[in-house]
Amino acid sequence: MTALKEKLRLSDEMLGRPAPAGKPVRAGKSARPGRRPRRRGPNRFRQGLLLGICIGMTAALLVGVVGFLVTERRGVAPAAAENASAERHGQGDQRKEPQAAISIDSEHLGDLQVRIEAKVSAPGSYNPITKGQVVAYTDMVAMPMAHKSGPIVMAEVSGQPGVYQALSNVPMAGEYNVIVEVKQPMAATANQRLEVGTVQPKK
């Protein structure tokens, strides 16, 4: 009983009274050497915020990837359909509009003068095409487009149905590409190489 009273009795120091003589003063508890201070636990609010940001960024990335794939597939399909449609139309136009047959006979007359003659006929039957719209071009092979001449209107030769002829001068000697184009009544193009010299050709 006496021991219990001693424990419950307040110390003189806590009551502000001086300690009696001869009574040892109890020192406060000192921190144990080597003991680490207690760390606070992780902040739950911060963890939740970081987790929410990570989930949001992942979801946005997935939505973007899915949207890109869907958009790319939808974009490629119409383009392929348009190309297929264009090819079909092109094939249909070629079938509906047959090309005329052209036979070119050109020669150098001398002094850089060239005679261009073309026989134009219908495909399949090879019947001569009369009253057609026919033009010609000359282009130097060594310097394409630099000395191109044309369009040169070709006139139908009297008494020779389907034969068209024109005269033209070239700027210099060399090899030329002679191009004949039929515009009406059916479109067609043909070409022939012609060597133009500086001297009068032998007859």
Side-chain angles (χ1 to χ4, degrees):
M1 189 71 178
T2 305
L4 182 61
K5 288 180 179 181
E6 289 293 333
K7 289 183 180 179
L8 295 174
R9 186 180 297 168
L10 297 174
S11 64
D12 293 334
E13 292 179 0
M14 294 181 66
L15 295 173
R17 295 186 298 214
K23 192 175 182 179
V25 179
R26 295 180 66 184
K29 294 182 179 179
S30 59
R32 294 181 182 177
R35 187 177 180 182
R36 296 182 180 177
R38 235 181 192 181
R39 293 184 179 177
R40 295 183 179 178
N43 193 336
R44 293 183 179 180
F45 175 75
R46 186 176 299 174
Q47 284 184 344
L49 181 62
L50 292 176
L51 183 61
I53 292 174
C54 293
I55 294 174
M57 292 179 65
T58 305
L61 181 61
L62 290 175
V63 171
V65 171
V66 172
F68 173 77
L69 294 176
V70 173
T71 304
E72 185 180 8
R73 290 177 182 176
R74 290 180 180 177
V76 170
E82 289 179 3
N83 292 337
S85 178
E87 290 179 359
R88 290 176 185 175
H89 284 301
Q91 292 176 358
D93 293 341
Q94 291 179 357
R95 291 175 184 175
K96 292 180 182 178
E97 298 180 4
Q99 295 185 347
I102 303 173
S103 177
I104 303 175
D105 182 19
S106 57
E107 64 173 335
H108 175 215
L109 301 178
D111 296 331
L112 302 178
Q113 189 178 39
V114 176
R115 179 183 63 84
I116 304 171
E117 185 176 288
K119 185 177 181 181
V120 183
S121 57
S125 63
Y126 294 100
N127 294 326
I129 296 177
T130 60
K131 299 179 181 180
Q133 185 179 356
V134 185
V135 295
Y137 301 86
T138 58
D139 193 10
M140 197 170 187
V141 176
M143 293 181 286
M145 303 301 294
H147 300 289
K148 187 174 182 179
S149 299
I152 305 164
V153 179
M154 300 183 68
E156 190 172 5
V157 179
S158 178
Q160 299 183 32
V163 178
Y164 299 82
Q165 196 176 86
L167 297 176
S168 178
N169 290 330
V170 294
M172 63 180 69
E175 187 179 15
Y176 284 82
N177 189 26
V178 179
I179 305 167
V180 175
E181 180 182 359
V182 179
K183 296 185 175 182
Q184 294 292 339
M186 54 181 62
T189 303
N191 62 309
Q192 183 188 53
R193 293 291 179 91
L194 175 65
E195 186 70 33
V196 176
T198 56
V199 295
Q200 180 76 20
K202 295 182 180 179
K203 294 183 180 180

